[in-house]
């Protein structure tokens, strides 16, 4: 799920760039609309990542903290956006915003890849399942979801 989530962030930032690079209006409108279509899957995936990552006992607190940060980000963005547009102009602010968002996605993807490499078992590690396959991975019971040992979202991804 991390690669998809990071890809959405990168895509959102990249789709904002035409607005800041002087693309024709039709191209900018299409890109802005496509960027808007990325929001629903991002919300679902980020919630699923919290469900998968947070132990069940602290999941409500983790989701509440995430919601609080998202709610506070809107007025903070508005407060910072005004001076940014005043200083850089609308085109410069869109260019910086798109590039910054895409950069955050690239950093998130790189960190997720590094984490995956560090936690991947070495050759010959683990127990082979039937017919030499690796056993299915999933969170330990009671971690990574709601209910009896995790949600369906926490077991697939």
């Amino acid at each position: 799920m991390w690669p998809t989530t990071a890809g959405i962030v990168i895509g959102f930032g990249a789709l904002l760039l035409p607005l800041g690079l002087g693309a024709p209006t039709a191209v900018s409108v299409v890109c802005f609309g496509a960027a808007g279509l990325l929001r629903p899957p991002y919300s679902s995936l980020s919630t699923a990542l919290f469900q998968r990552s947070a132990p069940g006992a602290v999941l409500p607190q983790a989701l509440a903290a995430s919601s609080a940060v998202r709610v506070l980000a809107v007025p903070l963005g508005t407060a910072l956006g005004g001076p940014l547009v005043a200083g850089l102009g609308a085109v410069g602010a869109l260019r910086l915003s798109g590039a910054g968002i895409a950069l955050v996605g690239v950093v998130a993807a790189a960190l997720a890849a590094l984490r995956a490499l560090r936690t991947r078992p070495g050759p010959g590690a683990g127990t082979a399942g039937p017919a030499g396959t690796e056993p299915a991975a999933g969170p330990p019971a009671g971690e990574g979801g709601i209910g009896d040992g995790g949600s369906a979202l926490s077991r697939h991804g």
Side-chain angles (χ1 to χ4, degrees):
M1 276 192 280
W2 273 110
T4 303
T5 305
I8 288 172
V9 173
I10 294 167
F12 186 86
L15 287 167
L16 289 182
L17 287 175
L19 291 123
L21 295 175
T25 302
V27 172
S28 295
V29 168
V30 168
C31 288
F32 197 66
L37 293 175
L38 292 175
R39 176 71 178 151
Y42 173 80
S43 295
S44 300
L45 284 171
S46 64
T47 299
L49 283 168
F50 273 104
Q51 289 176 334
R52 180 177 168 190
S53 302
V58 297
L59 181 60
Q61 294 91 336
L63 291 173
S66 171
S67 293
V69 168
R70 289 181 194 180
V71 167
L72 292 174
V74 173
L76 180 61
T78 302
L80 295 175
L84 187 64
V85 170
L88 299 176
V91 172
L94 284 168
R95 189 179 310 129
L96 181 63
S97 295
I101 291 168
L103 180 62
V104 166
V106 168
V107 169
L111 291 174
L114 287 173
R115 182 175 181 194
L117 288 174
R118 285 191 321 209
T119 59
R120 178 176 289 160
T127 307
T133 61
E134 291 294 319
E143 291 186 24
I146 301 171
D148 59 350
S151 69
L153 289 175
S154 68
R155 286 187 226 112
H156 305 287

